[in-house]
Structure formats: C-alpha cells, structure tokens
Amino acid sequence: MIKTIKMAFENTEVLELPADIIDLHLTHITESAFLFHPDYGSAHESFTKEIGEGHVAIRKDWFPAIARRAIVAERTKLPDALATQTLAGPYVLAQNVKDWVAQGLTDDEIVPQLVDRLTDHFAQGTPADLTDLELIADGAPTRTLELPWLDIRTNDPYSWSDNHYAINLETADQFVVLFDGNDPHFQNRGREKAEEMGFDLI
C-alpha cells in the first residue's frame, strides 16, 4: 500500500506527504523511453511514465496540524520525524521556523506563515507547477509518474512555471490539482470540469 507521496515542482522544490491525506485519480498513463549519446560520450537513458489526465486532492486540515507539530519540535528540541520530513523539501522552511521561534513569535503568528508556505504550490490562483509524483510503498518499488507539461514562454515571468495543462483549485476541505494532457487550454475550462466531477469549489 502507498504510504507516502512525494511531489516535485517546477522550481525543484519537493514535498513529501502521507498518502492518507491525499486522493488520487490518475488515468491514461503511458511509458516513453529515451536514449541519448551526448558528445559521443557515455549513453544517457531514461524511462518516463506520463499521466494523461487526473487530479490530486489534498486535505487542508492536515497542514495547520503539522505546522503546530513542527513548532513544538523546535521549541522542545524533541524529534518529530514527520514534521522534519515535511519541512525538508521547501527551501529554507526549516530554518524559517527556527528563526520565527527565536524571534519570540507565538504559535498563532507562526502557523499561518508556515501553512501558506507549505501550500503555496496548491493554492487556487497560483501557477500549477506540480511536475512529478513519486508513489512510495513499503516493500515495493517506488513508482514515479510525470504530469503532462505545456511550457509556454511569455514576457511575464509569473507564467513561466505555469503548466497550461493544469489548474490549481480549492474546495472548503481540499486543495485540488486538476490536469488534462489533451487540452492545452485546460485552465480555461478546468473549473467547469472540476464542478462536473463533483468538486464543490470555493
């Protein structure tokens, strides 16, 4: 059974989350093989599996809870493996928590900042920049799946990391990353598609 889902993003940050807070629906998965001989040197090969379409839905209520656990771990200096794992992926986030605690900020002041940073790749209205999913299970090989990606370069740097096959949406209880590799204009109809699927969006 899948225990952990490791998410990778276009800016090379990663986030490892427990599988029990995530709903996945991934379909039309295809495998591609690549073999390169750069400068006639040693060969480089890769085998990638790409998801045709689907969604990733993540429970919102987990993030304030893990934020408070991370703060307690920093204040008490007692280890919390899950909090450490969660904060390890986003750049400098673990150090931010140390700094905030050292500055004397209260838990109620730190938690919103920490939650915002942990969820900034999923928040509705932000660029959809999820690139890969690693499905990690006990006693089984890790499966790595790539999301379809359409990279449209514009003069707006904010759009450079935005995957036009995907859209970030929210319900009251979940962050939802919805994508369709057959539709390069999916952001224009993603909200409608999500509502057709039964998501009660905010």
Side-chain angles (χ1 to χ4, degrees):
M1 180 175 291
I2 298 171
K3 297 296 185 182
T4 304
I5 297 176
K6 185 176 181 179
M7 303 181 179
F9 302 94
E10 196 272 342
N11 71 345
T12 72
E13 285 189 328
V14 297
L15 190 61
E16 291 192 43
L17 301 177
D20 59 6
I21 69 163
I22 298 174
D23 292 332
L24 292 177
H25 185 85
L26 312 174
T27 63
H28 304 115
I29 297 171
T30 59
E31 184 170 23
S32 300
F34 301 92
L35 177 64
F36 302 98
H37 298 85
D39 299 324
Y40 302 101
S42 59
H44 170 75
E45 64 180 23
S46 64
F47 300 88
T48 63
K49 291 187 177 181
E50 183 173 284
I51 311 159
E53 62 181 301
H55 71 263
V56 181
I58 308 159
R59 266 182 30 212
K60 287 182 172 180
D61 63 357
W62 184 82
F63 292 97
I66 198 65
R68 291 189 181 279
R69 284 177 58 170
I71 296 166
V72 168
E74 176 58 28
R75 292 195 192 283
T76 64
K77 305 302 181 185
L78 296 175
D80 185 316
L82 183 57
T84 299
Q85 170 186 290
T86 305
L87 268 59
Y91 296 136
V92 305
L93 189 55
Q95 184 60 49
N96 286 343
V97 173
K98 294 179 185 294
D99 293 343
W100 292 330
V101 169
Q103 291 165 14
L105 273 63
T106 66
D107 289 11
D108 289 342
E109 291 172 317
I110 298 173
V111 167
Q113 297 183 74
L114 192 45
V115 170
D116 285 348
R117 186 64 183 85
L118 285 170
T119 62
D120 62 2
H121 289 288
F122 311 124
Q124 186 165 276
T126 62
D129 65 345
L130 178 63
T131 61
D132 302 88
L133 298 170
E134 287 187 23
L135 310 183
I136 302 169
D138 290 339
T142 295
R143 287 170 285 176
T144 301
L145 306 175
E146 295 184 356
L147 272 71
W149 188 274
L150 181 64
D151 189 4
I152 296 179
R153 297 287 168 170
T154 72
N155 291 326
D156 179 7
Y158 187 72
S159 297
W160 291 353
S161 62
D162 194 3
N163 181 3
H164 292 255
Y165 285 133
I167 188 170
N168 288 343
L169 300 166
E170 293 183 37
T171 71
D173 303 318
Q174 292 179 309
F175 297 102
V176 181
V177 183
L178 187 68
F179 51 92
D180 184 345
N182 295 312
D183 188 352
H185 305 289
F186 187 66
Q187 291 183 349
N188 296 330
R189 71 176 193 92
R191 187 175 184 89
E192 178 183 356
K193 175 70 172 179
E195 290 172 341
E196 290 174 357
M197 295 168 62
F199 288 106
D200 186 12
L201 302 176
I202 59 175

